[in-house]
Amino acid sequence: MTVALVLAGGLKPELVTPSHQIVGEALIRIGSHYMVEYVVEALRNSPEIKKIIIVGPRLELEEIYQPASVLKIIENGPTPLQSFMHAFRLIPPETQQILAVTSDLPLLTTEAINHFLRVCRSLEGDFFYPIIRREVNEAKYPGVKRTYVHLKEGVFTGGNLLLVKPHVVEKCAWEAEELVRLRKKPFSLLTHLNRKLVLSYLLRRLSIKDVEKEVARLLAGVKGVGVISPYPEIGLDVDKLSDLVLVEKMLCS
């Protein structure tokens, strides 16, 4: 059984404007819906997802959703990891995998979710992280600024999904918080993993497998796998006003 955890507690200061006075970016209105609603709808339409837990401003979210057996709402913690751990402790014992999704992906589609889960099923690993080729991202969203890393296999940006098996969560959660914090700072992330990776990166010799190997070493054998996705919408998180303008244009035109 796959349980989705929607992390809906963040608020980036640059997204607070006279027209967007909100307690969390998940509650920014895009057209007739809140941003979080687009994400939850994509998850609800996937036959792979059996339960959804939304972690965010509880009172406001309960005005949108009536909690039910397949949907639960809990208050977020002060950091994304603490929010994740609050929700993790509520997952049913029969849960086989957890799909963590940020609420700032209003262009997320059920098709992209299903593809990611389907590919992950065919791979050996403890957690899976999607990456998108720059040419794929720029072909669909030209001009959108993303953080890219140059690897042996190509140039990639990261997605905002994470599929993880429950038995490894407690083992690597706190180290994972640092990896998440550094995810948009390639040199800092590589230095944290292993300083020797920086030279390979500069010479364009660093491969996906090299990074996976160092992550496993850092996490005491927990195996992470990079999954190349052809769906750039899983990486188009609303980080700044220009992102918000783009998604409003695409969803409201």
Side-chain angles (χ1 to χ4, degrees), residues 187 189-203 205-207 210-215 217:
F187 283 101
L189 178 58
L190 293 173
T191 301
H192 181 71
L193 290 173
N194 187 333
R195 290 180 182 273
K196 294 179 182 179
L197 296 181
V198 175
L199 180 59
S200 294
Y201 179 72
L202 291 172
L203 295 173
R205 295 176 182 170
L206 186 66
S207 69
D210 292 333
V211 177
E212 291 174 350
K213 180 180 178 181
E214 288 303 320
V215 169
R217 181 191 61 78

Side-chain angles (χ1 to χ4, degrees), residues 8-50:
L11 177 58
K12 300 180 181 72
E14 56 268 38
L15 294 177
V16 180
T17 69
S19 60
H20 297 112
Q21 293 293 327
I22 34 90
V23 297
E25 63 197 68
L27 299 171
I28 291 176
R29 273 198 174 276
I30 302 174
S32 59
H33 300 286
Y34 294 105
M35 184 147 56
V36 67
E37 291 184 88
Y38 293 97
V39 175
V40 172
E41 186 67 13
L43 291 166
R44 273 180 158 169
N45 289 332
S46 171
E48 304 269 357
I49 306 298
K50 303 304 181 186

